[in-house]
Amino acid sequence: MEKESMNGWMSVRKIYLYGLLLFVMLAWGLNIVAIKILIDHFPPITITGLRILAAGIVIFVFLYMKKDLQKMNLHEFGYVSLSALTGIFGHQALLSIGLVNTSGTNGASILALIPLVTNIFAVLFLKAKMTFLKITGVLLGIVGIYLILVLGGGSFTKLSNGDVFVFLSVIAQALSFIFIRKASYTLNAKTITCYALLMGAGFLIMLSFALEGQKIGTMGTLGALPAYVWIIFLASAIVSTGIGNLCYNFAISKIGAGEAAIFLNLAPFFSLVGSVLFLNETFKFIQLIGFILIVLGVLLGTELFVRKPKIDKQVEVSVSK
């Protein structure tokens, strides 16, 4: 009887964790729509730096009050700095610039390749094995991107500079996971996330002054902006980036990285739906086929359904949404 009660409690806990992950994927997916709206009113790099800074401060205050921040040695500081330089500074700057010149649907579909590109880099830099399933996943992902960007656009000339920048942001994000993996052997995910966000925000703000200094000077009229713009900014910074990362890392600590990673495939789907509903973007049937191929490629490439011996618990952390 006690065992049945325990099993029932575990089921309720899993339902709670799955619901939490579903909320995070919804927040991360709609964040692409939020960024598209924000860069229509603010210089893209400047608003990205402020958004990440706000998220980092929220996480820092939360973890500081819980006394859950670890101290870093010089070795750990180097890996976290590199993850901030690639996953926050590189990824977010390239993504914001790219979304200025491409649609939210294209951006969301390209971002769906992050798990696949990460897998390829793991083979190159972490000596992970390239299996038949992973190769198949990579090929499906490439075909999916072709359907979305080329056939969906009508011709090769439809491939915009924005799409290229978004893809470069995918590479930057995947590189950051390599450095995060190195740092995670001695640091917990929450500490890495917090410090990477704060460092990355600093890099972005410095870049914004260098590239958007004149535009920043015109931001004195921000009070004239509609209230919904500020609501979107706060929701993007605090809910999507700040709380979203904390909730995702909490779920990883309870059910494991592999099981939690399955939900990552839902974020691009919510981005696509949000782009159609809130940005009035069109989405062709051929692009839907391409997106399905990307998701299948991710599932195969990350081998989420292959049973593996529990030898080394993998730690994954997201610091870029």
Side-chain angles (χ1 to χ4, degrees):
M1 185 73 178
E2 183 179 352
K3 185 176 181 180
E4 291 178 1
S5 177
M6 179 61 71
N7 289 335
W9 179 84
M10 291 293 288
S11 298
V12 171
R13 187 180 70 166
K14 275 212 166 185
I15 292 173
Y16 163 74
L17 290 170
Y18 287 165
L20 193 65
L21 282 168
L22 186 63
F23 159 75
V24 174
M25 294 307 111
L26 176 63
W28 284 356
L30 293 181
N31 199 35
I32 298 299
V33 179
I35 293 173
K36 281 287 292 183
I37 295 173
L38 290 174
I39 60 180
D40 286 337
H41 297 87
F42 302 95
I45 298 177
T46 301
I47 194 59
T48 300
L50 294 176
R51 182 173 60 84
I52 299 298
L53 178 62
I57 291 174
V58 168
I59 292 180
F60 178 82
V61 171
F62 177 78
L63 295 180
Y64 181 80
M65 292 177 64
K66 290 188 65 178
K67 298 181 179 180
D68 205 8
L69 278 173
Q70 292 178 272
K71 293 182 179 180
M72 294 186 292
N73 58 37
L74 187 61
H75 183 74
E76 294 163 342
F77 178 81
Y79 281 130
V80 174
S81 297
L82 287 172
S83 72
L85 190 63
T86 53
I88 303 298
F89 177 68
H91 173 71
Q92 291 290 343
L94 290 167
L95 178 61
S96 296
I97 294 172
L99 287 177
V100 173
N101 297 307
T102 191
S103 66
T105 53
N106 274 18
S109 300
I110 298 172
L111 289 174
L113 285 173
I114 287 178
L116 271 182
V117 178
T118 303
N119 224 307
I120 294 173
F121 284 169
V123 171
L124 295 176
F125 300 112
L126 297 178
K127 298 181 179 179
K129 294 182 179 179
M130 178 58 82
T131 64
F132 174 76
L133 285 179
K134 289 182 180 180
I135 294 175
T136 304
V138 171
L139 293 177
L140 282 176
I142 292 173
V143 173
I145 285 293
Y146 176 82
L147 293 178
I148 290 170
L149 300 183
V150 179
L151 298 184
S155 68
F156 280 100
T157 58
K158 294 294 183 179
L159 186 63
S160 70
N161 290 334
D163 296 324
V164 175
F165 275 108
V166 174
F167 181 70
L168 290 175
S169 79
V170 168
I171 295 177
Q173 178 73 97
L175 276 174
S176 75
F177 288 144
I178 303 300
F179 300 124
I180 290 170
R181 176 62 174 157
K182 295 285 188 179
S184 67
Y185 288 118
T186 52
L187 289 175
N188 64 45
K190 290 174 285 188
T191 297
I192 298 171
T193 302
C194 177
Y195 288 132
L197 285 172
L198 292 174
M199 290 180 193
F203 294 145
L204 285 167
I205 290 173
M206 286 189 288
L207 180 65
S208 70
F209 277 106
L211 298 182
E212 301 173 344
Q214 293 182 341
K215 294 181 180 179
I216 293 175
T218 64
M219 291 177 64
T221 58
L222 293 181
L225 290 175
Y228 76 87
V229 174
W230 293 110
I231 294 174
I232 290 174
F233 171 79
L234 292 175
S236 174
I238 297 175
V239 179
S240 296
T241 304
I243 297 176
N245 276 286
L246 284 177
C247 290
Y248 185 73
N249 293 333
F250 170 75
I252 284 179
S253 70
K254 298 299 181 183
I255 64 175
E259 194 169 346
I262 297 174
F263 286 81
L264 285 173
N265 301 294
L266 292 174
F269 170 75
F270 288 129
S271 295
L272 293 171
V273 174
S275 297
V276 173
L277 293 178
F278 301 113
L279 300 178
N280 297 320
E281 294 182 359
T282 58
F283 190 64
K284 300 178 181 179
F285 179 75
I286 192 68
Q287 291 175 309
L288 176 61
I289 299 299
F291 176 73
I292 292 174
L293 288 178
I294 289 175
V295 172
L296 288 176
V298 170
L299 292 174
L300 290 176
T302 52
E303 298 184 325
L304 293 177
F305 297 124
V306 176
R307 291 188 176 182
K308 302 175 183 179
K310 296 182 179 179
I311 299 175
D312 177 31
K313 185 178 179 181
Q314 182 179 356
V315 178
E316 291 184 25
V317 57
S318 175
V319 294
S320 67
K321 304 298 179 202

